[in-house]
Amino acid sequence: MTEKPSFETRFTELQAIVERFERGDVPLAESLTLFKQGMVLVQSLEAELKETEQTLETIEKDFTKSNPGD
């Protein structure tokens, strides 16, 4: 099984796609492929951010329970 690229790598890939669209020099056929790749990246980045946020909330709750009054 191949390892998923890091969050930072995927974010950089997404930025590169956005920059290409901003330049406005992407042919239509390629733009559809890039758009799809970008949406897949957005989905995976959002999922990882949500998972990280839930982990942080759990850590904060656990810390608050073990250190009441701090």
Side-chain angles (χ1 to χ4, degrees):
M1 184 168 117
T2 60
E3 194 171 311
K4 175 171 68 171
S6 71
F7 181 91
E8 294 77 13
T9 298
R10 288 177 285 139
F11 187 75
T12 300
E13 289 176 31
L14 180 59
Q15 284 180 310
I17 290 171
V18 170
E19 288 171 5
R20 291 208 50 206
F21 277 116
E22 287 175 343
R23 284 194 309 265
D25 61 356
V26 182
L28 181 60
E30 186 179 354
S31 69
L32 293 173
T33 300
L34 286 174
F35 183 79
K36 184 177 179 181
Q37 289 173 349
M39 292 305 295
V40 168
L41 288 166
V42 165
Q43 227 175 13
S44 73
L45 292 168
E46 284 179 340
E48 188 166 343
L49 284 173
K50 186 174 182 173
E51 183 180 311
T52 301
E53 183 179 17
Q54 290 171 343
T55 300
L56 289 171
E57 287 173 0
T58 300
I59 291 169
E60 184 178 22
K61 285 177 187 176
D62 291 346
F63 181 79
T64 303
K65 284 180 186 177
S66 64
N67 297 300
D70 279 349

